[in-house]
Amino acid sequence: MYQDNTTGLTPFTIDLTFEEARRRAEVVAALGPDWDPVAVLRGEDEAYALLYSGLDAEQQRTYDLLVAAGVLPGEEPGHATAH
């Protein structure tokens, strides 16, 4: 038969807030002082524009359908999908 042995357990909790803050600080430190987030975002926008440039008519229709369905992001800033 099943016996409830939970009465002998000691609750264990841990707050990961400090560890998450430390991890984020380490990531930023690893990026180094020359990291320019604005330049990175600008480069991503340029790469995105290049990726979908030069589409033929059928590719453009497919792209437009995927954007309308929220599968691909549109050309608005941030390029976030609808879903």
Side-chain angles (χ1 to χ4, degrees), residues 6 10 12 20-22 29-30 38 50 61-62 68-69 75 79-80:
T6 59
T10 303
F12 177 76
E20 179 62 13
R22 187 190 60 74
V38 175
L50 184 60
R61 278 193 302 277
T62 302
E75 295 183 18
H79 304 297

Side-chain angles (χ1 to χ4, degrees), residues 3-83:
Q3 292 180 333
D4 185 8
N5 291 330
T6 59
T7 57
L9 297 178
T10 303
F12 177 76
T13 59
I14 185 168
D15 181 6
L16 296 176
T17 307
F18 175 76
E19 289 302 319
E20 179 62 13
R22 187 190 60 74
R23 184 194 67 79
R24 289 181 182 194
E26 291 296 328
V27 168
V28 172
L31 291 170
D34 298 328
W35 181 65
D36 183 1
V38 175
V40 170
L41 291 174
R42 189 177 306 116
E44 287 180 4
D45 286 341
E46 291 169 3
Y48 182 84
L50 184 60
L51 179 63
Y52 294 108
S53 67
L55 301 178
D56 65 28
E58 178 152 350
Q59 290 170 330
Q60 187 65 50
R61 278 193 302 277
T62 302
Y63 172 79
D64 292 340
L65 285 171
L66 292 171
V67 169
V71 175
L72 288 177
E75 295 183 18
E76 64 276 352
H79 304 297
T81 59
H83 297 96

